[in-house]
Amino acid sequence: MAKIDQLLQEIRTELGGDFVATDIVGSDGISIAGTSANPGYDGSAASARFAMVMKLSSKVSDKLALGSVQENMATTADMIVLARYLGNGSYFWVIAVPKDATLGSVRMVMNEYADQLWNAIPH
Amino acid sequence: MALQGNLRDMGVADLIQQTCQDRKSAFLTIRHDNSVASLYFKEGQVVHAKMGLQSGEEIVYRILAWEDGSFSLENDIEPPMTSIQRSWSGLLMEGARRLDEGRAQPAAGETPLLETKQSEVKYMASQLQEVLKGLGNEVNGYMASAVIGLDGISIAHDMHSSKADVDSIGAQTALLIKLVDTSAAKLQAGSLEDTLLTTENALVLIRFLESKRYFLTVVVDKRSASLGNLRLMSRIYADRVSKAIPR
C-alpha cells in the first residue's frame, strides 16, 4: 500500500495547482488510498457517491449497447471530477481538479499512472 | 420486501420509468391526501391502474400530477386484470402533455390558450430539430443527440445511427445526470454543468440546459470523436437549444 501512497503523492506533485483530491476506490465505494489538498473535500463521501455513479454508468452503457464503461467526467461550477476504472474494473480512480485546470495535462497524467496504480494494488 | 418512500424523493414518473426499465412485475401503491391508487406492472409495462371504483389509464394521468405523498412497491405480484394497453413511455408522454395543458388552462375570462400552445409546441419542436441538425454537422463522429426533460422524455431528437433508440437514451441519461447532480451537490462541488461518459465504443455528453429542467445528450462514435470538439460544440449548441425553448 505504501507504493500506492507514493504514486498518489507523485501525481499530486505533477499536477501542482491543478489538484484538489484523489482516491483509489473499490467497487464497494470504500477508498483504499487517497490524498487531498482541500480540507473541506470529503474523500469518503466522494468515493461512495462515485461508486454509485460508476455502477449506474455501467448499467446505462449496457442498456444503450455502448460497450464497457471506461471513465466518467463530471464538470461542475467549481471543479472537474474524473472517475476511471483501473485494471479489471474492480477498483476505480477518482481525481478532482479545479474547474480551470489544464484538462489535457490531467488526462495525460491519468493515462501515465493508471497501470502503475493498478499494479500497486495488492491482489 | 416492499420498497417504500416519499414522492418528494422519487416522483411518480420516475417510479414508473424505473420499474418498467428494470422489466419488473410489481404492485405499486401510492397515497396522496385521502386518495390511494394502485398500479400493476407486468414484465416492464403498466398493465392495470385502479383508484376507488375507477380503473384504466386515466388513473395514471391523475397520479402523475401528485407531487407529495407516499409509495410502496412490491415485486413479483401478478396483476388481477389488464385495463391498460398503452406502452409505459406512451403513458408518461401523454401524462406530460396533459400536465402541460393543465398548467396552460386559462383563468375565468381569459382567452383559451390551448390552440396557441399547440402551435407554439410544433414551432418549438421544429426549431429544436434544426438546432440539433446543426450540432450533428459540427461534431466529429456524431451518432445522435436529444433534448430531454428530467422525466427522461425527449422533446426533440436527431439520430444519425439506426441503432440509437431515443426512449432508451432519454430514460437512461436522465437517471445518470440526476445521480451525478445529487452527488455534486452532496460533495459541495458547485452546480453540475455536464457529465461525460466514456465507454468502449462511444462518448456520451449530457449537459444541463439553462433552467436545469432539460438537458442535452450527445452521443458520438469514440473512434472518430474529438473530446475538445465535443465539449466546445455541446456548450455552444446548449445555449442555442436553451434559446429555442420557450420560457
Side-chain angles (χ1 to χ4, degrees):
Chain A
M1 293 295 276
K3 179 69 180 165
I4 302 181
D5 290 327
Q6 183 202 323
L7 288 169
L8 293 181
Q9 284 306 322
E10 273 179 37
I11 291 159
R12 181 174 175 166
T13 308
E14 279 217 34
L15 291 175
D18 283 354
F19 177 84
V20 175
T22 189
D23 277 281
I24 306 296
V25 187
S27 50
D28 55 2
I30 307 288
S31 164
I32 59 164
T35 175
S36 168
N38 178 353
Y41 183 85
D42 185 347
S44 320
S47 301
R49 296 300 309 192
F50 272 86
M52 289 163 68
V53 168
M54 294 304 269
K55 273 185 195 164
L56 181 60
S57 297
S58 296
K59 195 176 159 191
V60 167
S61 182
D62 189 41
K63 296 247 181 190
L64 300 180
L66 299 175
S68 58
V69 168
Q70 296 171 342
E71 185 183 281
N72 191 292
M73 179 171 80
T75 305
T76 72
D78 303 330
M79 61 176 85
I80 299 174
V81 185
L82 293 111
R84 181 181 290 191
Y85 277 121
L86 296 173
N88 67 4
S90 50
Y91 290 86
F92 63 93
W93 176 17
V94 181
I95 185 158
V97 298
K99 169 89 178 291
D100 58 359
T102 313
L103 190 57
S105 309
V106 177
R107 290 173 63 84
M108 235 173 63
V109 168
M110 288 189 89
N111 292 341
E112 191 185 332
Y113 280 91
D115 284 345
Q116 294 183 60
L117 284 166
W118 171 247
N119 292 329
I121 297 171
H123 298 289
Chain B
M1 204 175 79
L3 169 72
Q4 295 183 326
N6 195 295
L7 293 182
R8 292 212 175 273
D9 298 326
M10 193 168 192
V12 177
D14 285 341
L15 277 166
I16 293 176
Q17 182 181 309
Q18 186 73 61
T19 310
C20 293
Q21 287 275 314
D22 290 342
R23 304 194 61 76
K24 282 181 182 165
S25 294
F27 171 53
L28 174 67
T29 311
I30 302 180
R31 291 170 199 280
H32 167 77
D33 295 335
N34 294 322
S35 305
V36 182
S38 309
L39 257 65
Y40 289 86
F41 299 83
K42 186 168 184 180
E43 292 163 3
Q45 291 296 336
V46 183
V47 294
H48 179 47
K50 185 170 172 289
M51 186 159 61
L53 296 173
Q54 293 177 300
S55 62
E57 63 184 69
E58 289 302 320
I59 306 298
V60 180
Y61 304 138
R62 281 176 64 184
I63 64 173
L64 280 169
W66 293 357
E67 290 177 347
D68 52 48
S70 61
F71 69 83
S72 165
L73 180 73
E74 283 180 74
N75 287 326
D76 304 319
I77 305 270
E78 285 296 312
M81 60 180 285
T82 299
S83 59
I84 297 172
Q85 303 295 338
R86 197 186 277 238
S87 71
W88 69 268
S89 55
L91 286 170
L92 292 188
M93 245 182 284
E94 175 62 14
R97 188 188 67 77
R98 290 188 186 203
L99 281 174
D100 277 351
E101 275 182 13
R103 285 184 194 116
Q105 287 303 311
E110 283 184 6
T111 315
L113 291 174
L114 189 56
E115 281 179 26
T116 317
K117 180 139 180 96
Q118 279 171 342
S119 65
E120 265 178 21
V121 167
K122 272 187 195 159
Y123 178 69
M124 176 192 78
S126 69
Q127 289 278 95
L128 288 173
Q129 201 98 34
E130 282 307 306
V131 177
L132 295 182
K133 278 205 173 94
L135 172 67
N137 292 332
E138 305 253 22
V139 171
N140 302 332
Y142 178 86
M143 290 165 73
S145 68
V147 181
I148 300 158
L150 283 180
D151 54 6
I153 308 286
S154 157
I155 57 170
H157 64 270
D158 178 55
M159 303 283 158
H160 278 204
S161 163
S162 56
K163 286 181 192 162
D165 166 23
V166 68
D167 286 346
S168 297
I169 291 174
Q172 295 299 322
T173 56
L175 291 173
L176 187 58
I177 198 167
K178 282 197 258 188
L179 178 62
V180 179
D181 188 37
T182 319
S183 301
K186 295 253 180 200
L187 298 175
Q188 297 179 325
S191 173
L192 181 70
E193 292 177 1
D194 66 45
T195 185
L196 174 78
L197 180 62
T198 306
T199 74
E200 212 177 338
N201 304 322
L203 301 179
V204 183
L205 194 137
I206 313 166
R207 186 175 182 83
F208 269 129
L209 299 175
E210 206 176 64
S211 63
K212 279 187 114 174
R213 287 171 55 222
Y214 298 96
F215 59 89
L216 171 68
T217 294
V218 189
V219 185
V220 299
D221 186 334
K222 194 177 159 200
R223 286 161 300 184
S224 41
S226 147
L227 181 58
N229 164 270
L230 174 61
R231 293 185 86 217
L232 174 65
M233 287 306 157
S234 66
R235 208 163 35 228
I236 292 171
Y237 277 82
D239 284 344
R240 294 183 187 171
V241 168
S242 294
K243 283 178 189 145
I245 298 176
R247 300 291 182 274

